[in-house]
Each structure stands twice: as structure tokens, then as C-alpha cells.
Amino acid sequence: MDLSSLRERQKERRRARIYSVAIELFKRSGFQTTTATDIARASNVSRGTFFNYYPYKEAVLLDYGSEVMDRLRDHAEQRLLDGVPPLSVLYEVWDLLAEENSRERDLFPPLAYEVMNPNPERARTAYQALPLSKVIELILRPLHQSGQMRPDLSLQRISNLIADTYLMVALRWSAYGTERTLQEEMRLALNLLLEGALKRDPPRS
């Protein structure tokens, strides 16, 4: 192994250690109260080294969110290959994401806020790290290609709308809570998006 490869592996291991330590501290002590200094000290690196890997504390959460998105995409791809109907796959992914957000309730709000960061560069970085709309687009593509979706809206626009709805409903639930679980709230929101808000009269005989 040459020297450059060895250095790259060392950097990867150091980043992985900083990441795992940071996530553990966030879960144990809370995201807001955990500082970059806390993470650096627990990772046995300098504060400057932490910022070499993560330019701001929220960037650690982007790695976490990216891992979640990868798992959802893998699940969706496999289920579609298994012949599961796309809408069933969408509900499965919806439930899996809601379960993750419920389990890590304290991590979701700062992650969601990062997507809406007023700094356009940070918001763009967060959007690229959390491609929920791309996962949804993958799931719905067979329905779009077979003409089962509205022809006046692009698949990308529909997928973005569904992803944005998830973000806002989950953020509200994390902040305020309701009498329903997040999974129940999410299924209600998804049903509304897929079926519409207007009451339909039964067909006349």
C-alpha cells in the first residue's frame, strides 16, 4: 500500500470515529448542548481537526441522514425488484422513515432545519445529502411510465411535493407532538396527497 492510500485510510477511520462519537453524544446529551469541543475531546482529536472533517456541527447530521436515505433507497429498489406494487413500496418507505424519526426524535429537527438554512450553500448541501425526493421518484417511476399518474405534473414535481410534505409534518410532530404516532400522521398526510382533499360523490347508478 502506498503512502497516499495509507493516509486516505487513516483519514477515513478518523472521520468515522468522529462521526460515531458525535452521534452518540447527540443521543446522550442532546444536539443543542453538545459542542464541537465536546466531540473533538471525546474523539481524541483537536477542535481544528474536527472542523477539517465537518465545517459545522450540523454537517455530522447530514452524514447520518445520508445513511438513512441509502437504506431507504436500497429497500425500495429490492422491493420493486421483488414485484411489490409501487404504492405499497412507498408506504413501506414512509413507515420506515417515520420509525427512524420517532426513534431519533431529537436528531430530526436540526436536520430538517438544515434543509431550510438561510445560507443557500448549506441548504443545497443538505438537500443533496438528503435526497428523499429522489427515492420517491424511483418508487413512483413505474406508475408514471405506465400513465397512471397525472400527466400535467412532472414526476419530479410530484416527488418533491411528497418529500416536502414529509419534512414539514415530521418537523411539526417532532416539535409539538400529537395524539397520533408519527407513522399515523405520515400515513394520513400521504393518503391526502395521493387521494386529494375534496370529498368525491359516489358514482351515480
Side-chain angles (χ1 to χ4, degrees), residues 69 72 93-94 97 130-137 162-163 166:
M69 291 299 111
L72 293 178
V93 166
W94 213 243
L97 186 53
L130 306 169
L132 179 57
S133 62
K134 297 298 183 184
V135 177
I136 296 170
E137 191 173 330
I162 294 174
Y166 185 95

Side-chain angles (χ1 to χ4, degrees), residues 31 138 141:
F31 177 81
L138 166 74
R141 185 170 292 116

Side-chain angles (χ1 to χ4, degrees), residues 11 14-15 18 46-56:
K11 288 173 65 176
R14 187 177 296 119
R15 182 185 179 94
I18 293 171
S46 70
R47 194 168 184 271
T49 297
F50 170 82
F51 286 118
N52 285 338
Y53 289 92
Y54 294 103
Y56 41 91

Side-chain angles (χ1 to χ4, degrees), residues 6-187:
L6 179 60
R7 286 174 177 167
E8 285 302 313
R9 292 215 175 173
Q10 289 174 337
K11 288 173 65 176
E12 289 173 5
R13 286 196 294 269
R14 187 177 296 119
R15 182 185 179 94
R17 184 171 72 250
I18 293 171
Y19 168 76
S20 62
V21 167
I23 294 297
E24 179 60 32
L25 287 175
F26 293 158
K27 292 179 180 180
R28 188 170 69 228
S29 305
F31 177 81
Q32 299 299 337
T33 58
T34 301
T35 67
T37 301
D38 294 332
I39 298 169
R41 185 180 296 116
S43 304
N44 296 317
V45 299
S46 70
R47 194 168 184 271
T49 297
F50 170 82
F51 286 118
N52 285 338
Y53 289 92
Y54 294 103
Y56 41 91
K57 187 174 66 169
E58 290 79 3
V60 178
L61 290 181
L62 297 185
D63 275 4
Y64 159 72
S66 182
E67 287 184 357
V68 173
M69 291 299 111
D70 286 345
R71 294 201 303 270
L72 293 178
R73 174 178 286 276
D74 290 345
H75 178 87
E77 288 179 340
Q78 185 57 56
R79 295 294 280 163
L80 290 172
L81 284 174
D82 291 342
V84 178
L87 286 183
S88 296
V89 177
L90 181 58
Y91 276 100
E92 287 180 10
V93 166
W94 213 243
D95 285 343
L96 288 171
L97 186 53
E99 289 170 10
E100 180 75 25
N101 291 166
S102 299
R103 187 165 53 250
E104 308 299 347
R105 185 169 181 168
D106 292 339
L107 297 185
F108 183 77
L111 189 58
Y113 288 136
E114 195 62 22
V115 178
M116 299 179 285
N117 196 296
N119 181 321
E121 185 60 35
R122 283 181 58 164
R124 182 165 48 250
T125 299
Y127 180 79
Q128 292 171 347
L130 306 169
L132 179 57
S133 62
K134 297 298 183 184
V135 177
I136 296 170
E137 191 173 330
L138 166 74
I139 296 169
L140 295 181
R141 185 170 292 116
L143 297 179
H144 189 265
Q145 291 174 338
S146 62
Q148 298 180 64
M149 300 186 70
R150 287 179 54 168
D152 58 323
L153 294 175
S154 70
L155 177 58
Q156 182 181 28
R157 176 169 292 187
I158 293 170
S159 301
N160 284 340
L161 176 60
I162 294 174
D164 290 347
T165 299
Y166 185 95
L167 181 69
M168 297 309 299
V169 174
L171 186 57
R172 185 178 65 239
W173 183 88
S174 296
Y176 306 113
T178 69
E179 69 277 6
R180 300 185 184 94
T181 66
L182 181 56
Q183 288 92 329
E184 291 169 334
E185 288 287 354
M186 284 303 161
R187 280 187 164 254

